[in-house]
Amino acid sequence: MDPHLLRTFVTVARLRSFSAAAGELGYTQSAISQQIAALESDLGLPLLSRRPVEPTPAGERLLEHAGPLLLRLRAARADVLRAAAPPAYRLRLAATPLALNATLAGRLARARAAQPRLEVTVLGCGREDVAALVASGEAEIGLADGVAAPSDPLRLPESGPLTVVGVAEEELVVALPPGHPLAGRPGLRLADLVDARWLQTTLCPLERLRALQGEGFPAALDHRGDDVQTVLNLVRAGHGLTLLPAPLLPATLPATLLPATLPTALPTALPGAPLSAGPLPAAPGASGACGVPLLTPRLVHRVEMLHGALPPGPAADLARTLEAREQA
Amino acid sequence: MDPHLLRTFVTVARLRSFSAAAGELGYTQSAISQQIAALESDLGLPLLSRRPVEPTPAGERLLEHAGPLLLRLRAARADVLRAAAPPAYRLRLAATPLALNATLAGRLARARAAQPRLEVTVLGCGREDVAALVASGEAEIGLADGVAAPSDPLRLPESGPLTVVGVAEEELVVALPPGHPLAGRPGLRLADLVDARWLQTTLCPLERLRALQGEGFPAALDHRGDDVQTVLNLVRAGHGLTLLPAPLLPATLPATLLPATLPTALPTALPGAPLSAGPLPAAPGASGACGVPLLTPRLVHRVEMLHGALPPGPAADLARTLEAREQA
DNA sequence: CGGGTCCATCACAGTTGCTTATAGCAGGTG
DNA sequence: CACCTGCTATAAGCAACTGTGATGGACCCG
């Protein structure tokens, strides 16, 4: 079970061709053939059917393991090298679309003001990629967002011993089209909305709601993608409901009423965050869609930061700044 | 990053000696020396300090990765072989101490009655070992128990793509010494007990309670081990409180009162389980300690079954029987 | 200071794993 | 039906690797 052979195996299975895999990996076709033969004789099983080249059932099992295995291997290497790397002034931040919100963007600005030499790259990616990018060393720090009960951790796919810290929690609102009968309510209960039409989005997968609340939540429209404006437009046009972080939507009530109706202050609305980039105090141009606070169950839009061993220096400083002092 | 070298590295680090590792792995000392040198030159970092032999910081990082990595490698191999194995009549069941409760022991008896040729071995082990034993093929099926909110999954350490199903949930009670002032209550709230003296046990780690309820739960006595009788004796002697599955303790109220006071029927007390081994309807000899139902938060003692790809045959049948029909 | 223990290094040998060359097989085509 | 083409399997040769055994230097201890 040499990782080398494993890599060859997944390449052959992906390309469904020995010769093509040979080309991609820079070997001769003969070498590929021998490697696959070695793997099969090691396990004592055929892993690929030839002509056409397709994984056997046993090969399918192996494929399921091979990906995470090779990822962890890269992660181990990256982590060890990171532990002994000199302080770097380049920092790559892997972030899901809603993770880098106003609060965190502000903290990032603060960190850059304190450390002008720091070059920051933000890599937008999906929720399932963040951990992989950080673990394999393609990003120093990851930010992932999701829906969770307050102070409950998100469940991100594991890919090694990464440090995971919650860095922000924002109130969640139900996004409604402007004329919706519920739009005037001071708050809503998720249980009352199990039969409503819902959008299936990557930001708020219905699977997650069903796990939290029970069956229901029929999918009215399935949106694959991560563009918030598109989702807002779909809501506005009445395609269905979805949950979004409160700062993205204007409240339907006069602002003076809101603080009293909300059960607790938002944990992220702490003092001491004088952002150099404005914190967008009013909602951006949602033009129509409006949000009603979700009262029960208590759910929040949570952002977690993940990173491996950071060398002391700007990267570690930034991590500390992003973390801010949530517990103090 | 050959797994072979990785295995050598962890052995050397564990034994803190090249020569001893050579003996254990069946190589010469020279080979070990060369393997470590190869690993270090591959990563470009010293991983071990010599004389005395100790991991460097980078080596420590690598050690953290190496264990899970090698486990997953074994898991992959075992899983592939399992997928293509002939139906086996030997079945090894890895179970934590409280996992094989009366309900599941009954289901196991039913399965064995239906399949007399089946040879069953039960491997007692800790919560953190179950997944590893199943993944690496040392057990076909695993049973792990823990404290969780109703129908919430336990969080077991990952070690590959295993199927995880909840198979039983039992009510939790607070175990109290007989003369305790709270012993007569119909139910208790965890929030009222944050300042009580608690036992730290493997069955109910206080860390878990703090995660569910918040700070508090001072540890009065730390019990390392998994013997329930010992824990009951400690409770009876007043060393502290703990949470235990209800069937282990006699109720403090007349049995006729209980069904009315409990919010819901126990999910595992389903009809259709005529156990050939008696289901122990009364509590075993708890002799003194008694249990008071835990009302809020709603917590249960949950048992999960985990397994990889099971070949059709007795093993798969048993898995189905253990699973019973929870959803029907 | 001498013996013992431990790791590093060197030289050598067996094995592994690659390349080149060629054989075998299935499918398309005139 | 014969032939060509594109694919994988096999054989032979060669280079690199990975082990063994022997040896050397550093350190500890009596």
mmCIF file of all heavy atoms in Angstrom, chain A residues 39 56 103-104 220:
data_model
loop_
_atom_site.group_PDB
_atom_site.id
_atom_site.type_symbol
_atom_site.label_atom_id
_atom_site.label_comp_id
_atom_site.label_asym_id
_atom_site.label_seq_id
_atom_site.Cartn_x
_atom_site.Cartn_y
_atom_site.Cartn_z
ATOM 1 N N LEU A 39 0.030 -3.456 -6.883
ATOM 2 C CA LEU A 39 -1.003 -3.140 -5.896
ATOM 3 C C LEU A 39 -2.013 -4.281 -5.806
ATOM 4 O O LEU A 39 -2.422 -4.697 -4.710
ATOM 5 C CB LEU A 39 -1.709 -1.839 -6.310
ATOM 6 C CG LEU A 39 -2.541 -1.113 -5.259
ATOM 7 C CD1 LEU A 39 -1.699 -0.804 -4.038
ATOM 8 C CD2 LEU A 39 -3.117 0.159 -5.831
ATOM 9 N N THR A 56 -13.160 -2.211 -9.995
ATOM 10 C CA THR A 56 -14.017 -3.284 -9.485
ATOM 11 C C THR A 56 -14.635 -2.798 -8.173
ATOM 12 O O THR A 56 -14.264 -1.739 -7.668
ATOM 13 C CB THR A 56 -13.176 -4.536 -9.200
ATOM 14 O OG1 THR A 56 -12.208 -4.200 -8.195
ATOM 15 C CG2 THR A 56 -12.448 -5.000 -10.443
ATOM 16 N N THR A 103 -17.293 41.946 10.496
ATOM 17 C CA THR A 103 -16.474 41.888 11.709
ATOM 18 C C THR A 103 -15.072 41.387 11.399
ATOM 19 O O THR A 103 -14.073 42.006 11.798
ATOM 20 C CB THR A 103 -17.119 40.920 12.717
ATOM 21 O OG1 THR A 103 -18.489 41.275 12.873
ATOM 22 C CG2 THR A 103 -16.393 40.965 14.035
ATOM 23 N N LEU A 104 -15.012 40.270 10.689
ATOM 24 C CA LEU A 104 -13.704 39.670 10.450
ATOM 25 C C LEU A 104 -12.900 40.484 9.450
ATOM 26 O O LEU A 104 -11.672 40.589 9.574
ATOM 27 C CB LEU A 104 -13.881 38.229 9.977
ATOM 28 C CG LEU A 104 -14.438 37.328 11.085
ATOM 29 C CD1 LEU A 104 -14.783 35.951 10.535
ATOM 30 C CD2 LEU A 104 -13.438 37.197 12.216
ATOM 31 N N ALA A 220 -37.821 23.949 -2.794
ATOM 32 C CA ALA A 220 -38.553 24.547 -3.904
ATOM 33 C C ALA A 220 -37.631 24.787 -5.076
ATOM 34 O O ALA A 220 -38.036 24.691 -6.223
ATOM 35 C CB ALA A 220 -39.190 25.864 -3.469
#
